[in-house]
Amino acid sequence: MDTRVADLARRLEETGYLCDEELATVLFLSLEMSRPLLLEGEPGTGKTALAEAIAESLDRPLIRLQCYEGIDATQALYDWDFPRQILHLRALEALSDATKGGVEGVEEAEKSLYDERFLLARPVLAALQQSPAVLLIDEVDRADDEFEAFLLEVLSTFQVTIPELGTVQAATPPTVVLTSNRTRELHDALKRRCLYHWIDHPGLEREVAIVRSRAPEVSATLARQVVDVVQQLRSDADLLKPPGVAETLDWARALHHLGTADLDVETAARTLGALVKYRDDAERVRAALDRMLAR
Ligand SMILES: Nc1ncnc2c1ncn2[C@@H]1O[C@H](COP(=O)(O)OP(=O)(O)O)[C@@H](O)[C@H]1O
Ligand SMILES: [Mg+2]
């Protein structure tokens, strides 16, 4: 591994995040070239956690924009604090009864309503103001085309114009991580702006290491047994929703809470609620446990 890439991987590891060489390399390039990093992968493969780890290791604030169906630019940029503006207006009214009033007074009062004090910065604006920051645009596939176009513009200019106040530009552009669970395909234009990486579920050894790092209270033996079953479930149980690393961690912690030292079929069956969240999946797993634990 390139020493600088290895160094980056080591710093992420110090925060508890374990990445392979490919991911460390694309992240290194994204930082070096100031290009947004687009991460796609199944839920629970550590996309969001990577952005958190980057922020922690760079000691920069993490600003998160959670996308959802129907999100629009306002929710990403800024709002005016309407209740406070009204209060301010009331105060002005009370004062002006005693003083001047008139057209000039009205104009001035109006202007004073659009002061920075009354501006509520939403994630994208906040990331420009608090530079250098890490901006996580999470689950961008849940937003619509229009919002994607808006993001593209922001990611090209790293500036935002507020008509009443002027233009806000980041002193240093934020480090941007976009994630997608790939419920739909993103547009080529957005992809072109980014460096891309598909995160797969970790292999056996890495996943054991992740459990050891995130849940050190779980014994090495139990961690290995849990991961071994989870990996088999992913590859050959044909589940509606195969467990992600989050579920592996939940299951390992649940078993630890029960004082399990050695995983047996009966205990595994009793604790499936931490691992699979569909009734059909639970049935399928129950039927396969005997075989999987016998290995
Ligand atoms: N490579 C990794 N190193 C450390 N923890 C990981 C790793 N991958 C996943 N995790 C853990 O698994 C859980 C799910 O990860 P998350 O980032 O929420 O997944 P995603 O955003 O891809 O759905 C989190 O608790 C995260 O800390
Ligand atoms: Mg996520």
Side-chain angles (χ1 to χ4, degrees):
M1 226 192 282
D2 182 297
T3 53
R4 289 169 308 165
V5 174
D7 189 50
L8 179 62
R10 190 185 44 73
R11 273 187 289 147
L12 291 174
E13 198 172 321
E14 280 166 10
T15 76
Y17 192 93
L18 310 182
C19 60
D20 57 18
E21 186 173 356
E22 233 183 288
L23 178 56
T25 305
V26 74
L27 173 61
F28 170 77
L29 290 175
S30 131
L31 293 169
E32 197 75 1
M33 299 161 71
S34 298
R35 291 280 291 277
L37 177 60
L38 169 60
L39 300 170
E40 280 193 329
E42 300 294 323
T45 44
K47 302 183 293 297
T48 303
L50 177 64
E52 290 163 356
I54 296 170
E56 192 183 333
S57 70
L58 296 177
D59 197 20
R60 291 183 182 176
L62 175 72
I63 297 170
R64 176 173 181 179
L65 173 64
Q66 171 66 56
C67 299
Y68 49 88
E69 214 181 307
I71 189 174
D72 65 27
T74 315
Q75 282 127 10
L77 286 176
Y78 64 88
D79 263 327
W80 291 102
D81 190 342
F82 188 60
R84 280 194 65 204
Q85 284 175 317
I86 295 291
L87 281 178
H88 177 68
L89 206 56
R90 293 262 160 78
L92 286 182
E93 269 169 13
L95 266 180
S96 77
D97 283 347
T99 56
K100 50 181 180 180
V103 178
E104 258 172 55
V106 170
E107 262 174 29
E108 236 167 75
E110 236 175 59
K111 224 176 128 198
S112 72
L113 285 176
Y114 295 100
D115 186 271
E116 242 185 291
R117 279 183 297 163
F118 305 126
L119 189 70
L120 297 172
R122 302 300 183 209
V124 169
L125 180 61
L128 301 182
Q129 289 174 329
Q130 299 176 37
S131 98
V134 175
L135 174 62
L136 165 63
I137 303 175
D138 217 6
E139 303 185 351
V140 65
D141 52 326
R142 292 167 68 170
D144 61 18
D145 291 359
E146 209 179 318
F147 191 72
E148 226 183 272
F150 155 78
L151 285 178
L152 186 61
E153 190 184 319
V154 170
L155 296 181
S156 313
T157 60
F158 289 113
Q159 64 174 39
V160 163
T161 300
I162 304 170
E164 297 87 353
L165 286 179
T167 299
V168 179
Q169 174 128 39
T172 311
T175 299
V176 183
V177 177
L178 298 104
T179 80
S180 163
N181 289 329
R182 203 151 182 251
T183 54
R184 70 173 175 86
E185 200 64 49
L186 302 179
H187 285 265
D188 284 345
L190 186 61
K191 287 187 175 171
R192 221 173 293 129
R193 282 248 18 105
C194 304
L195 298 182
Y196 175 86
H197 185 73
W198 173 268
I199 302 198
D200 255 326
H201 284 122
L204 185 96
E205 290 310 324
R206 182 173 308 278
E207 193 163 9
V208 171
I210 291 173
V211 176
R212 300 288 287 146
S213 153
R214 295 291 197 201
E217 70 278 16
V218 174
S219 76
T221 318
L222 185 59
R224 189 162 286 276
Q225 287 175 322
V226 162
V227 171
D228 187 39
V229 171
V230 170
Q231 298 251 334
Q232 292 181 66
L233 289 176
R234 282 189 200 128
S235 62
D236 42 62
D238 194 25
L239 303 181
L240 292 169
K241 164 81 180 67
V245 178
E247 283 75 25
T248 310
L249 289 168
D250 275 349
W251 197 31
R253 289 192 183 113
L255 289 164
H256 173 75
H257 275 294
L258 287 179
T260 314
D262 197 20
L263 188 56
D264 59 87
V265 175
E266 196 263 325
T267 312
R270 268 195 296 136
T271 49
L272 284 187
L275 187 63
V276 283
K277 310 292 164 88
Y278 286 94
R279 192 178 167 190
D280 286 355
D281 282 354
E283 292 305 320
R284 246 169 249 177
V285 176
R286 236 175 241 120
L289 273 176
D290 252 335
R291 172 172 54 86
M292 293 184 169
L293 275 168
R295 266 201 0 176

